[in-house]
Amino acid sequence: MPSVLFICTYNSVRSQTAEGVCRILHPDWNILSAGIARGTISPRVIRILEEAGLDCSGMYAKHLTDLPDQEYDAIIVLCENAWQAREHLPKTKQLIYHQVQSPEPWIGDDELADYRRLRDELTDWMKKTLHPLP
């Protein structure tokens, strides 16, 4: 079973969304996410992942130091801040940098529109890139 770790700055939006999307696409994989700094998961992320059918009851923001000491099949870094800290990341067979834009602040009638954009962008990218992993 492949193990995948998604990393961003606070583990509040981008890496949590990626973890959720990957869990939907690959429910038999070992999938985690973490931040290089401590944060809290965005309630909007929970909402857009639940819309896609994921049970988010066990999701919470994690710092790199909260993770088990293990080697991952792939670590996917989703932002420049985390990429600059890559020498502090756990061991991995494959380090991937896939920068994604964090959702913009809510403007207009739909507060979740840009969160859905992120979810859909990550879904499309993972379908093309993460199957199969070593």
Side-chain angles (χ1 to χ4, degrees):
M1 155 174 40
S3 59
V4 181
L5 173 62
F6 294 96
I7 302 286
C8 72
T9 304
Y10 297 108
N11 194 221
S12 60
V13 176
R14 290 173 282 195
S15 57
Q16 289 283 356
T17 303
E19 176 184 348
V21 166
C22 198
R23 286 182 183 278
I24 291 168
L25 294 174
H26 303 287
D28 55 329
W29 290 9
N30 179 24
I31 303 160
L32 293 169
S33 64
I36 60 168
R38 295 210 178 268
T40 58
I41 188 169
S42 166
R44 291 181 178 130
V45 169
I46 298 293
R47 287 174 57 195
I48 58 104
L49 291 174
E50 287 176 342
E51 283 178 358
L54 184 69
D55 175 9
C56 298
S57 59
M59 293 181 76
Y60 63 97
K62 297 165 289 303
H63 185 267
L64 279 175
T65 59
D66 299 331
L67 299 175
D69 184 23
Q70 70 177 61
E71 181 177 5
Y72 295 88
D73 291 308
I75 294 178
I76 299 155
V77 179
L78 300 168
C79 70
E80 179 65 25
N81 286 342
W83 185 247
Q84 293 303 318
R86 64 188 173 273
E87 66 274 2
H88 302 290
L89 299 180
K91 293 179 184 177
T92 185
K93 296 174 184 169
Q94 185 177 9
L95 182 61
I96 301 168
Y97 180 47
H98 179 70
Q99 185 173 3
V100 293
Q101 180 180 348
S102 193
E104 294 294 326
W106 174 31
I107 299 173
D109 295 334
D110 188 354
E111 69 177 292
L112 299 178
D114 214 29
Y115 288 80
R116 290 183 186 112
R117 174 211 45 88
L118 174 63
R119 179 194 62 203
D120 296 345
E121 175 186 325
L122 285 166
T123 300
D124 291 344
W125 179 79
M126 285 183 207
K127 284 179 178 179
K128 295 173 189 169
T129 307
L130 293 186
H131 186 68
L133 271 174

